[in-house]
Each structure stands twice: as C-alpha cells, then as structure tokens.
Amino acid sequence: MPTRVERYLAHLDRLSGGQEPAFVPFRSSKPGLRDVTAIVYRDQPEPGFLTGLTYGLSLSGHPAWQRSTPELCITVRSTDEAWAWAIAHLAEQLRGGPCHFGYGDTLGFGQRISQDSGMDAFVLFAPAALEREDFLGIDVGDELPVSITGCYPIHSSERRFIQANGLKAFWDLDWDPYDVTRAAVV
C-alpha cells in the first residue's frame, strides 16, 4: 500500500510527465509537526518556467479545513528556485496558526523574494497552470484529500489593495500572474 507522500508524489509525477524534481526540506519549527518540503520542477509547464509545490502543510491541520487540506503551488517565468523555497518557508512558518491558506489570503514575505524581482508577498487562488481535476481532491489515503492552492507573487502595494478591495478587484486588473519582473499594477 503506498504511503501518503508516495500517493502525492505519484500525482505530481503524472502532472510533470515523470520529470524528476529537486527536493529541499525546511526544518519544522513547530513541535510535533514534520518538516515542509519544497518540490521544485524546472522548465515546467514549459521552458523558462519554474513550478514549485509544498509537502507538509496539509499535515498540520486547521479547523477551517473541512473538505480538503492544502498544499501550495507556484508557477513563474523564472529560473530562480527562491520562489519555490519562499512558499515552503511560509507554509512551514504559518501552519498551525490563524492562517488557513484560503483563496484571497495574502501572505507577506517580509523582504524581496528573489534578486530578479521587487515582489515581497503572495496572494492565494486556484493554480492557473493546472486543470481543476489536477489540483482538487487528490487522494492521499487520508479522510480528507489534498487540494493544491496557487500562490501568485505580488508587490506590497498590491497586497494592501487586495486587503482593502478583495481578490476579484485585483484579479480583474491587467497583470501577468507568471511575470515576476512586472511593475506593480496599483
């Protein structure tokens, strides 16, 4: 019988066409919780892109998680693995607290995420690079399935705009969710 992590990785293998990812562990700072791992795919979904996912967030539990447990995903036009490391770091730091990693949540990183960008925060929503059936209800053998939540890099001014006006108002603006070098749109 495959383990929970084996089931999750088998799902990711199907999505990546069997590409071997890099695994970067982030030591747990929470007693009783396992590490969070950044799973990094270069040139996914196409050359010049980087896709990173987490494993370990869904193990922490939260009262708001009634239908599924989240793992995070980022897809950006960049080769800098810092983008994947940033979401794993935030997952490790924020799990078990008031953040439930829901659509519309914004997560501040506290500094520039990458040298190639001035962005320092993320907004959470459905992952644009995955089909609905590929990110919702992933059977890992637990009572609750895993659902993958998309992380979109944003600027601090955009984070404040989303907090004041909501995700829809921001999403409707003219911006490229994959471009980490873009200027702030608000």
Short mmCIF file of all heavy atoms in Angstrom, two decimals, residues 102-146:
data_model
loop_
_atom_site.label_atom_id
_atom_site.label_comp_id
_atom_site.label_asym_id
_atom_site.label_seq_id
_atom_site.Cartn_x
_atom_site.Cartn_y
_atom_site.Cartn_z
N GLY A 102 -6.51 30.10 2.52
CA GLY A 102 -7.69 30.12 1.66
C GLY A 102 -7.54 31.09 0.50
O GLY A 102 -6.70 32.00 0.52
N TYR A 103 -8.36 30.91 -0.51
CA TYR A 103 -8.36 31.80 -1.66
C TYR A 103 -8.59 33.23 -1.20
O TYR A 103 -9.48 33.50 -0.40
CB TYR A 103 -9.44 31.41 -2.66
CG TYR A 103 -9.18 30.12 -3.42
CD1 TYR A 103 -8.03 29.35 -3.21
CD2 TYR A 103 -10.09 29.67 -4.34
CE1 TYR A 103 -7.81 28.18 -3.92
CE2 TYR A 103 -9.88 28.49 -5.06
CZ TYR A 103 -8.74 27.76 -4.84
OH TYR A 103 -8.53 26.59 -5.54
N GLY A 104 -7.78 34.14 -1.71
CA GLY A 104 -7.87 35.55 -1.35
C GLY A 104 -6.96 35.95 -0.22
O GLY A 104 -6.73 37.14 0.00
N ASP A 105 -6.42 34.98 0.53
CA ASP A 105 -5.46 35.31 1.59
C ASP A 105 -4.21 35.90 0.95
O ASP A 105 -3.80 35.48 -0.14
CB ASP A 105 -5.05 34.07 2.39
CG ASP A 105 -6.12 33.59 3.35
OD1 ASP A 105 -7.14 34.28 3.53
OD2 ASP A 105 -5.94 32.50 3.93
N THR A 106 -3.61 36.84 1.65
CA THR A 106 -2.33 37.39 1.22
C THR A 106 -1.28 37.05 2.27
O THR A 106 -1.57 37.08 3.47
CB THR A 106 -2.38 38.91 1.00
OG1 THR A 106 -2.73 39.55 2.23
CG2 THR A 106 -3.38 39.28 -0.09
N LEU A 107 -0.09 36.70 1.81
CA LEU A 107 0.99 36.31 2.71
C LEU A 107 2.19 37.22 2.44
O LEU A 107 2.72 37.23 1.33
CB LEU A 107 1.40 34.85 2.46
CG LEU A 107 0.29 33.80 2.43
CD1 LEU A 107 0.86 32.44 2.06
CD2 LEU A 107 -0.43 33.75 3.76
N GLY A 108 2.59 37.98 3.45
CA GLY A 108 3.77 38.82 3.32
C GLY A 108 5.02 38.01 3.59
O GLY A 108 5.05 37.21 4.53
N PHE A 109 6.04 38.22 2.78
CA PHE A 109 7.30 37.51 2.97
C PHE A 109 8.27 38.32 3.82
O PHE A 109 9.19 37.78 4.41
CB PHE A 109 7.92 37.17 1.60
CG PHE A 109 9.05 36.19 1.68
CD1 PHE A 109 8.83 34.88 2.08
CD2 PHE A 109 10.34 36.58 1.39
CE1 PHE A 109 9.88 33.97 2.17
CE2 PHE A 109 11.40 35.68 1.46
CZ PHE A 109 11.17 34.38 1.86
N GLY A 110 8.09 39.63 3.87
CA GLY A 110 8.92 40.48 4.73
C GLY A 110 10.17 41.03 4.06
O GLY A 110 10.85 41.87 4.63
N GLN A 111 10.47 40.56 2.87
CA GLN A 111 11.62 41.05 2.10
C GLN A 111 11.44 40.60 0.66
O GLN A 111 10.55 39.80 0.37
CB GLN A 111 12.93 40.52 2.66
CG GLN A 111 13.05 39.01 2.59
CD GLN A 111 14.30 38.50 3.29
OE1 GLN A 111 14.81 39.12 4.20
NE2 GLN A 111 14.79 37.36 2.86
N ARG A 112 12.31 41.08 -0.22
CA ARG A 112 12.25 40.63 -1.61
C ARG A 112 12.42 39.12 -1.65
O ARG A 112 13.27 38.56 -0.97
CB ARG A 112 13.37 41.28 -2.42
CG ARG A 112 13.14 42.74 -2.68
CD ARG A 112 14.34 43.38 -3.31
NE ARG A 112 14.75 42.67 -4.53
CZ ARG A 112 15.59 43.17 -5.40
NH1 ARG A 112 16.13 44.35 -5.20
NH2 ARG A 112 15.91 42.48 -6.47
N ILE A 113 11.62 38.48 -2.47
CA ILE A 113 11.66 37.02 -2.56
C ILE A 113 12.84 36.55 -3.38
O ILE A 113 13.46 35.54 -3.08
CB ILE A 113 10.32 36.50 -3.13
CG1 ILE A 113 9.18 36.87 -2.17
CG2 ILE A 113 10.37 35.01 -3.38
CD1 ILE A 113 7.81 36.86 -2.77
N SER A 114 13.17 37.30 -4.42
CA SER A 114 14.22 36.91 -5.35
C SER A 114 14.99 38.14 -5.79
O SER A 114 14.44 39.25 -5.82
CB SER A 114 13.58 36.23 -6.56
OG SER A 114 14.51 36.03 -7.60
N GLN A 115 16.23 37.95 -6.17
CA GLN A 115 17.05 39.07 -6.66
C GLN A 115 16.52 39.63 -7.97
O GLN A 115 16.79 40.78 -8.29
CB GLN A 115 18.50 38.63 -6.83
CG GLN A 115 19.19 38.32 -5.52
CD GLN A 115 19.18 39.50 -4.57
OE1 GLN A 115 19.49 40.62 -4.93
NE2 GLN A 115 18.79 39.24 -3.33
N ASP A 116 15.76 38.83 -8.74
CA ASP A 116 15.26 39.30 -10.02
C ASP A 116 13.90 39.99 -9.93
O ASP A 116 13.26 40.23 -10.94
CB ASP A 116 15.23 38.17 -11.05
CG ASP A 116 14.31 37.00 -10.69
OD1 ASP A 116 13.72 37.03 -9.60
OD2 ASP A 116 14.20 36.06 -11.50
N SER A 117 13.47 40.32 -8.72
CA SER A 117 12.14 40.88 -8.55
C SER A 117 12.05 41.74 -7.29
O SER A 117 12.71 41.47 -6.29
CB SER A 117 11.13 39.73 -8.44
OG SER A 117 9.84 40.22 -8.16
N GLY A 118 11.18 42.74 -7.33
CA GLY A 118 10.89 43.55 -6.16
C GLY A 118 9.69 43.04 -5.37
O GLY A 118 9.29 43.66 -4.38
N MET A 119 9.13 41.92 -5.77
CA MET A 119 7.93 41.40 -5.11
C MET A 119 8.29 40.82 -3.73
O MET A 119 9.35 40.24 -3.55
CB MET A 119 7.27 40.34 -5.98
CG MET A 119 6.74 40.91 -7.26
SD MET A 119 5.98 39.63 -8.27
CE MET A 119 5.40 40.62 -9.64
N ASP A 120 7.35 40.99 -2.78
CA ASP A 120 7.61 40.57 -1.41
C ASP A 120 6.40 39.96 -0.72
O ASP A 120 6.33 39.89 0.50
CB ASP A 120 8.13 41.75 -0.59
CG ASP A 120 7.15 42.89 -0.50
OD1 ASP A 120 6.07 42.84 -1.12
OD2 ASP A 120 7.46 43.87 0.21
N ALA A 121 5.43 39.49 -1.52
CA ALA A 121 4.22 38.92 -0.94
C ALA A 121 3.58 37.97 -1.96
O ALA A 121 4.01 37.91 -3.12
CB ALA A 121 3.24 40.03 -0.56
N PHE A 122 2.54 37.28 -1.52
CA PHE A 122 1.78 36.36 -2.37
C PHE A 122 0.30 36.54 -2.11
O PHE A 122 -0.11 36.89 -1.00
CB PHE A 122 2.14 34.90 -2.05
CG PHE A 122 3.56 34.53 -2.31
CD1 PHE A 122 4.48 34.55 -1.28
CD2 PHE A 122 3.98 34.16 -3.57
CE1 PHE A 122 5.81 34.20 -1.50
CE2 PHE A 122 5.30 33.82 -3.81
CZ PHE A 122 6.22 33.84 -2.78
N VAL A 123 -0.51 36.25 -3.12
CA VAL A 123 -1.94 36.11 -2.95
C VAL A 123 -2.28 34.68 -3.36
O VAL A 123 -1.67 34.12 -4.27
CB VAL A 123 -2.75 37.14 -3.77
CG1 VAL A 123 -2.55 36.99 -5.27
CG2 VAL A 123 -4.23 37.10 -3.40
N LEU A 124 -3.25 34.08 -2.67
CA LEU A 124 -3.62 32.68 -2.90
C LEU A 124 -4.91 32.59 -3.71
O LEU A 124 -5.87 33.31 -3.45
CB LEU A 124 -3.80 31.96 -1.57
CG LEU A 124 -2.62 32.01 -0.60
CD1 LEU A 124 -2.93 31.18 0.64
CD2 LEU A 124 -1.34 31.56 -1.25
N PHE A 125 -4.90 31.67 -4.67
CA PHE A 125 -6.07 31.40 -5.50
C PHE A 125 -5.85 30.06 -6.20
O PHE A 125 -4.83 29.42 -6.01
CB PHE A 125 -6.28 32.54 -6.52
CG PHE A 125 -7.62 32.51 -7.20
CD1 PHE A 125 -8.80 32.45 -6.48
CD2 PHE A 125 -7.70 32.56 -8.58
CE1 PHE A 125 -10.03 32.42 -7.12
CE2 PHE A 125 -8.93 32.54 -9.23
CZ PHE A 125 -10.10 32.47 -8.50
N ALA A 126 -6.78 29.66 -7.03
CA ALA A 126 -6.64 28.41 -7.78
C ALA A 126 -5.40 28.48 -8.68
O ALA A 126 -5.12 29.53 -9.26
CB ALA A 126 -7.89 28.16 -8.62
N PRO A 127 -4.64 27.40 -8.80
CA PRO A 127 -3.44 27.43 -9.63
C PRO A 127 -3.77 27.52 -11.12
O PRO A 127 -4.44 26.65 -11.67
CB PRO A 127 -2.73 26.12 -9.31
CG PRO A 127 -3.64 25.32 -8.47
CD PRO A 127 -4.83 26.14 -8.11
N ALA A 128 -3.31 28.58 -11.77
CA ALA A 128 -3.62 28.83 -13.18
C ALA A 128 -2.97 27.81 -14.10
O ALA A 128 -3.48 27.55 -15.20
CB ALA A 128 -3.19 30.24 -13.57
N ALA A 129 -1.86 27.22 -13.70
CA ALA A 129 -1.13 26.30 -14.57
C ALA A 129 -1.65 24.86 -14.50
O ALA A 129 -1.13 24.00 -15.20
CB ALA A 129 0.35 26.33 -14.23
N LEU A 130 -2.67 24.61 -13.67
CA LEU A 130 -3.20 23.25 -13.52
C LEU A 130 -4.69 23.22 -13.85
O LEU A 130 -5.41 24.20 -13.61
CB LEU A 130 -3.01 22.74 -12.09
CG LEU A 130 -1.59 22.59 -11.58
CD1 LEU A 130 -1.60 22.19 -10.11
CD2 LEU A 130 -0.83 21.57 -12.41
N GLU A 131 -5.14 22.10 -14.38
CA GLU A 131 -6.57 21.89 -14.61
C GLU A 131 -7.23 21.57 -13.27
O GLU A 131 -6.61 21.01 -12.37
CB GLU A 131 -6.79 20.74 -15.59
CG GLU A 131 -6.22 20.97 -16.97
CD GLU A 131 -6.88 22.14 -17.68
OE1 GLU A 131 -8.09 22.35 -17.50
OE2 GLU A 131 -6.14 22.85 -18.41
N ARG A 132 -8.50 21.91 -13.16
CA ARG A 132 -9.27 21.71 -11.93
C ARG A 132 -9.12 20.29 -11.37
O ARG A 132 -8.90 20.09 -10.18
CB ARG A 132 -10.73 22.05 -12.19
CG ARG A 132 -11.62 22.00 -10.99
CD ARG A 132 -13.04 22.46 -11.37
NE ARG A 132 -13.93 22.36 -10.27
CZ ARG A 132 -14.10 23.29 -9.33
NH1 ARG A 132 -13.41 24.39 -9.39
NH2 ARG A 132 -14.95 23.11 -8.35
N GLU A 133 -9.23 19.29 -12.23
CA GLU A 133 -9.14 17.90 -11.77
C GLU A 133 -7.73 17.54 -11.30
O GLU A 133 -7.54 16.54 -10.61
CB GLU A 133 -9.60 16.92 -12.85
CG GLU A 133 -8.80 16.94 -14.12
CD GLU A 133 -9.31 17.94 -15.17
OE1 GLU A 133 -10.17 18.79 -14.86
OE2 GLU A 133 -8.83 17.86 -16.31
N ASP A 134 -6.74 18.36 -11.65
CA ASP A 134 -5.36 18.10 -11.24
C ASP A 134 -5.00 18.76 -9.91
O ASP A 134 -3.98 18.41 -9.32
CB ASP A 134 -4.39 18.58 -12.32
CG ASP A 134 -4.52 17.78 -13.60
OD1 ASP A 134 -4.90 16.59 -13.52
OD2 ASP A 134 -4.24 18.33 -14.67
N PHE A 135 -5.81 19.73 -9.45
CA PHE A 135 -5.47 20.40 -8.18
C PHE A 135 -6.49 20.20 -7.08
O PHE A 135 -6.20 20.53 -5.92
CB PHE A 135 -5.13 21.88 -8.39
CG PHE A 135 -6.27 22.79 -8.78
CD1 PHE A 135 -7.15 23.29 -7.84
CD2 PHE A 135 -6.43 23.17 -10.10
CE1 PHE A 135 -8.17 24.15 -8.20
CE2 PHE A 135 -7.45 24.03 -10.48
CZ PHE A 135 -8.33 24.53 -9.52
N LEU A 136 -7.64 19.67 -7.37
CA LEU A 136 -8.66 19.46 -6.34
C LEU A 136 -8.84 17.98 -6.01
O LEU A 136 -8.84 17.14 -6.91
CB LEU A 136 -10.01 20.02 -6.79
CG LEU A 136 -10.13 21.53 -6.88
CD1 LEU A 136 -11.52 21.92 -7.38
CD2 LEU A 136 -9.83 22.21 -5.56
N GLY A 137 -8.99 17.67 -4.72
CA GLY A 137 -9.37 16.33 -4.29
C GLY A 137 -8.37 15.23 -4.58
O GLY A 137 -8.76 14.15 -5.00
N ILE A 138 -7.11 15.47 -4.32
CA ILE A 138 -6.07 14.48 -4.57
C ILE A 138 -6.11 13.43 -3.45
O ILE A 138 -5.91 13.76 -2.28
CB ILE A 138 -4.68 15.14 -4.64
CG1 ILE A 138 -4.67 16.20 -5.74
CG2 ILE A 138 -3.59 14.10 -4.86
CD1 ILE A 138 -3.53 17.20 -5.61
N ASP A 139 -6.36 12.20 -3.82
CA ASP A 139 -6.47 11.12 -2.85
C ASP A 139 -5.08 10.72 -2.35
O ASP A 139 -4.25 10.23 -3.11
CB ASP A 139 -7.15 9.91 -3.48
CG ASP A 139 -7.32 8.74 -2.52
OD1 ASP A 139 -7.04 8.89 -1.31
OD2 ASP A 139 -7.73 7.66 -2.99
N VAL A 140 -4.84 10.98 -1.07
CA VAL A 140 -3.56 10.59 -0.45
C VAL A 140 -3.76 9.50 0.60
O VAL A 140 -2.86 9.19 1.37
CB VAL A 140 -2.83 11.82 0.17
CG1 VAL A 140 -2.36 12.78 -0.93
CG2 VAL A 140 -3.70 12.53 1.18
N GLY A 141 -4.99 8.95 0.65
CA GLY A 141 -5.27 7.87 1.58
C GLY A 141 -5.78 8.33 2.92
O GLY A 141 -6.06 7.50 3.79
N ASP A 142 -5.93 9.63 3.14
CA ASP A 142 -6.46 10.17 4.39
C ASP A 142 -7.97 10.39 4.26
O ASP A 142 -8.53 10.31 3.17
CB ASP A 142 -5.81 11.52 4.71
CG ASP A 142 -4.36 11.40 5.13
OD1 ASP A 142 -3.88 10.27 5.34
OD2 ASP A 142 -3.70 12.45 5.26
N GLU A 143 -8.59 10.71 5.38
CA GLU A 143 -10.01 11.03 5.37
C GLU A 143 -10.28 12.21 4.45
O GLU A 143 -11.24 12.21 3.68
CB GLU A 143 -10.49 11.34 6.79
CG GLU A 143 -11.96 11.67 6.87
CD GLU A 143 -12.38 11.97 8.29
OE1 GLU A 143 -11.81 11.40 9.24
OE2 GLU A 143 -13.31 12.78 8.45
N LEU A 144 -9.43 13.24 4.52
CA LEU A 144 -9.57 14.42 3.66
C LEU A 144 -8.53 14.36 2.54
O LEU A 144 -7.36 14.10 2.80
CB LEU A 144 -9.38 15.71 4.46
CG LEU A 144 -10.42 16.04 5.51
CD1 LEU A 144 -10.04 17.32 6.25
CD2 LEU A 144 -11.80 16.19 4.89
N PRO A 145 -8.94 14.66 1.30
CA PRO A 145 -7.95 14.72 0.22
C PRO A 145 -7.13 16.00 0.32
O PRO A 145 -7.45 16.90 1.09
CB PRO A 145 -8.83 14.73 -1.03
CG PRO A 145 -10.10 15.38 -0.59
CD PRO A 145 -10.29 14.94 0.85
N VAL A 146 -6.08 16.08 -0.47
CA VAL A 146 -5.26 17.29 -0.59
C VAL A 146 -5.75 18.09 -1.79
O VAL A 146 -6.08 17.51 -2.83
CB VAL A 146 -3.77 16.93 -0.76
CG1 VAL A 146 -2.96 18.13 -1.21
CG2 VAL A 146 -3.21 16.38 0.55
#
